[in-house]
Short mmCIF file of all heavy atoms in Angstrom, two decimals:
data_model
loop_
_atom_site.label_atom_id
_atom_site.label_comp_id
_atom_site.label_asym_id
_atom_site.label_seq_id
_atom_site.Cartn_x
_atom_site.Cartn_y
_atom_site.Cartn_z
N PHE S 558 92.48 104.63 124.07
CA PHE S 558 93.01 103.29 124.37
C PHE S 558 92.00 102.23 124.01
O PHE S 558 91.41 101.57 124.88
CB PHE S 558 93.43 103.22 125.84
CG PHE S 558 94.35 104.36 126.20
CD1 PHE S 558 93.98 105.29 127.15
CD2 PHE S 558 95.57 104.50 125.55
CE1 PHE S 558 94.82 106.35 127.47
CE2 PHE S 558 96.41 105.56 125.87
CZ PHE S 558 96.03 106.49 126.82
N ALA S 630 92.62 91.38 130.69
CA ALA S 630 93.12 92.70 130.27
C ALA S 630 92.05 93.42 129.45
O ALA S 630 91.86 94.63 129.59
CB ALA S 630 94.40 92.53 129.46
N ALA S 633 89.60 94.87 131.83
CA ALA S 633 90.14 96.05 132.52
C ALA S 633 90.01 97.27 131.60
O ALA S 633 89.59 98.36 132.02
CB ALA S 633 91.60 95.82 132.90
N SER S 634 90.36 97.07 130.31
CA SER S 634 90.28 98.17 129.36
C SER S 634 88.82 98.59 129.14
O SER S 634 88.50 99.79 129.10
CB SER S 634 90.92 97.76 128.04
OG SER S 634 91.05 98.88 127.20
N MET S 635 87.95 97.60 129.04
CA MET S 635 86.52 97.90 128.83
C MET S 635 85.96 98.75 129.97
O MET S 635 85.30 99.77 129.73
CB MET S 635 85.73 96.60 128.73
CG MET S 635 84.23 96.81 128.54
SD MET S 635 83.28 95.29 128.76
CE MET S 635 82.82 95.43 130.46
N VAL S 636 86.23 98.32 131.21
CA VAL S 636 85.68 99.05 132.36
C VAL S 636 86.25 100.47 132.40
O VAL S 636 85.52 101.44 132.66
CB VAL S 636 85.97 98.28 133.67
CG1 VAL S 636 85.52 99.09 134.88
CG2 VAL S 636 85.26 96.92 133.64
N GLY S 637 87.55 100.61 132.09
CA GLY S 637 88.16 101.95 132.02
C GLY S 637 87.51 102.80 130.95
O GLY S 637 87.16 103.97 131.19
N ASN S 638 87.33 102.23 129.75
CA ASN S 638 86.76 103.00 128.64
C ASN S 638 85.30 103.39 128.88
O ASN S 638 84.86 104.46 128.46
CB ASN S 638 86.89 102.22 127.33
CG ASN S 638 88.30 102.29 126.78
OD1 ASN S 638 88.99 103.29 126.99
ND2 ASN S 638 88.74 101.25 126.09
N GLU S 650 89.56 109.99 136.73
CA GLU S 650 89.67 110.03 135.26
C GLU S 650 91.03 109.46 134.83
O GLU S 650 91.12 108.65 133.91
CB GLU S 650 89.48 111.46 134.77
CG GLU S 650 89.38 111.62 133.26
CD GLU S 650 88.12 110.97 132.65
OE1 GLU S 650 87.15 110.71 133.39
OE2 GLU S 650 88.14 110.72 131.43
N ALA S 651 92.09 109.92 135.54
CA ALA S 651 93.43 109.43 135.21
C ALA S 651 93.51 107.92 135.44
O ALA S 651 94.13 107.19 134.65
CB ALA S 651 94.48 110.17 136.05
N ALA S 652 92.87 107.45 136.52
CA ALA S 652 92.94 106.02 136.86
C ALA S 652 92.24 105.16 135.80
O ALA S 652 92.77 104.14 135.37
CB ALA S 652 92.33 105.78 138.24
N VAL S 653 91.04 105.59 135.36
CA VAL S 653 90.33 104.75 134.38
C VAL S 653 91.05 104.76 133.02
O VAL S 653 91.09 103.74 132.33
CB VAL S 653 88.83 105.14 134.22
CG1 VAL S 653 88.09 104.87 135.52
CG2 VAL S 653 88.65 106.56 133.74
N LEU S 654 91.66 105.91 132.67
CA LEU S 654 92.41 105.96 131.41
C LEU S 654 93.66 105.08 131.50
O LEU S 654 94.05 104.43 130.54
CB LEU S 654 92.78 107.39 131.05
CG LEU S 654 91.64 108.22 130.44
CD1 LEU S 654 92.05 109.67 130.27
CD2 LEU S 654 91.21 107.63 129.09
N GLN S 655 94.28 105.08 132.69
CA GLN S 655 95.46 104.22 132.88
C GLN S 655 95.07 102.75 132.75
O GLN S 655 95.78 101.96 132.12
CB GLN S 655 96.06 104.50 134.26
CG GLN S 655 97.46 103.91 134.41
CD GLN S 655 97.96 104.05 135.84
OE1 GLN S 655 97.54 104.94 136.57
NE2 GLN S 655 98.86 103.18 136.25
N ALA S 656 93.94 102.38 133.34
CA ALA S 656 93.46 101.00 133.24
C ALA S 656 93.18 100.64 131.77
O ALA S 656 93.52 99.55 131.31
CB ALA S 656 92.21 100.80 134.08
N ALA S 657 92.59 101.59 131.04
CA ALA S 657 92.29 101.34 129.63
C ALA S 657 93.57 101.17 128.82
O ALA S 657 93.69 100.26 127.99
CB ALA S 657 91.45 102.49 129.07
N GLU S 658 94.54 102.04 129.07
CA GLU S 658 95.80 102.00 128.33
C GLU S 658 96.55 100.70 128.63
O GLU S 658 96.98 99.99 127.72
CB GLU S 658 96.65 103.23 128.72
CG GLU S 658 97.85 103.48 127.83
CD GLU S 658 99.10 102.73 128.23
OE1 GLU S 658 99.28 102.50 129.43
OE2 GLU S 658 99.88 102.38 127.33
N GLN S 659 96.69 100.38 129.92
CA GLN S 659 97.42 99.16 130.29
C GLN S 659 96.68 97.92 129.82
O GLN S 659 97.30 96.94 129.38
CB GLN S 659 97.63 99.12 131.81
CG GLN S 659 98.65 100.17 132.25
CD GLN S 659 98.83 100.20 133.76
OE1 GLN S 659 98.05 99.60 134.50
NE2 GLN S 659 99.84 100.90 134.20
N GLY S 660 95.36 97.95 129.91
CA GLY S 660 94.57 96.81 129.45
C GLY S 660 94.81 96.53 127.97
O GLY S 660 95.02 95.38 127.57
N GLN S 661 94.83 97.58 127.14
CA GLN S 661 95.09 97.38 125.71
C GLN S 661 96.47 96.78 125.47
O GLN S 661 96.62 95.84 124.69
CB GLN S 661 94.99 98.72 124.96
CG GLN S 661 93.58 99.24 124.77
CD GLN S 661 92.70 98.32 123.95
OE1 GLN S 661 93.15 97.67 123.02
NE2 GLN S 661 91.43 98.26 124.31
N ARG S 662 97.46 97.36 126.14
CA ARG S 662 98.84 96.91 125.92
C ARG S 662 99.01 95.45 126.36
O ARG S 662 99.57 94.63 125.64
CB ARG S 662 99.79 97.84 126.69
CG ARG S 662 101.25 97.59 126.45
CD ARG S 662 102.11 98.72 127.05
NE ARG S 662 101.72 99.09 128.39
CZ ARG S 662 101.99 98.39 129.48
NH1 ARG S 662 102.67 97.26 129.37
NH2 ARG S 662 101.62 98.80 130.67
N LEU S 663 98.49 95.12 127.55
CA LEU S 663 98.65 93.76 128.08
C LEU S 663 97.86 92.75 127.24
O LEU S 663 98.30 91.63 127.02
CB LEU S 663 98.21 93.72 129.55
CG LEU S 663 99.12 94.51 130.50
CD1 LEU S 663 98.41 94.79 131.83
CD2 LEU S 663 100.43 93.77 130.75
N LYS S 725 96.36 94.16 138.41
CA LYS S 725 96.47 95.53 138.92
C LYS S 725 95.59 96.49 138.10
O LYS S 725 94.92 97.36 138.65
CB LYS S 725 97.93 96.00 138.88
CG LYS S 725 98.82 95.32 139.92
CD LYS S 725 100.11 96.10 140.09
CE LYS S 725 101.30 95.27 139.76
NZ LYS S 725 102.57 95.98 139.81
N ALA S 726 95.62 96.32 136.77
CA ALA S 726 94.81 97.20 135.90
C ALA S 726 93.32 96.99 136.17
O ALA S 726 92.54 97.95 136.24
CB ALA S 726 95.14 96.93 134.43
N ALA S 727 92.91 95.73 136.34
CA ALA S 727 91.50 95.43 136.58
C ALA S 727 91.07 95.97 137.95
O ALA S 727 89.96 96.48 138.12
CB ALA S 727 91.25 93.93 136.48
N ASP S 728 91.98 95.85 138.93
CA ASP S 728 91.70 96.38 140.27
C ASP S 728 91.51 97.90 140.23
O ASP S 728 90.59 98.46 140.82
CB ASP S 728 92.88 96.00 141.19
CG ASP S 728 92.68 96.51 142.62
OD1 ASP S 728 91.64 96.19 143.22
OD2 ASP S 728 93.57 97.24 143.11
N LEU S 729 92.41 98.56 139.45
CA LEU S 729 92.32 100.01 139.28
C LEU S 729 90.98 100.40 138.65
O LEU S 729 90.30 101.33 139.09
CB LEU S 729 93.49 100.45 138.39
CG LEU S 729 93.82 101.92 138.26
CD1 LEU S 729 94.24 102.48 139.61
CD2 LEU S 729 94.96 102.10 137.25
N ALA S 730 90.60 99.67 137.61
CA ALA S 730 89.35 99.95 136.91
C ALA S 730 88.15 99.72 137.83
O ALA S 730 87.18 100.49 137.81
CB ALA S 730 89.24 99.07 135.66
N MET S 731 88.24 98.67 138.66
CA MET S 731 87.14 98.35 139.57
C MET S 731 86.91 99.49 140.57
O MET S 731 85.77 99.88 140.82
CB MET S 731 87.46 97.06 140.33
CG MET S 731 86.41 96.69 141.38
SD MET S 731 86.87 95.21 142.29
CE MET S 731 88.21 95.81 143.30
#
Side-chain angles (χ1 to χ4, degrees):
F558 308 117
S634 190
M635 179 192 95
V636 175
N638 283 330
E650 188 66 19
V653 295
L654 282 173
Q655 193 187 334
E658 192 273 329
Q659 289 177 348
Q661 286 298 325
R662 186 169 46 76
L663 292 163
K725 289 196 240 176
D728 180 55
L729 192 63
M731 176 182 72

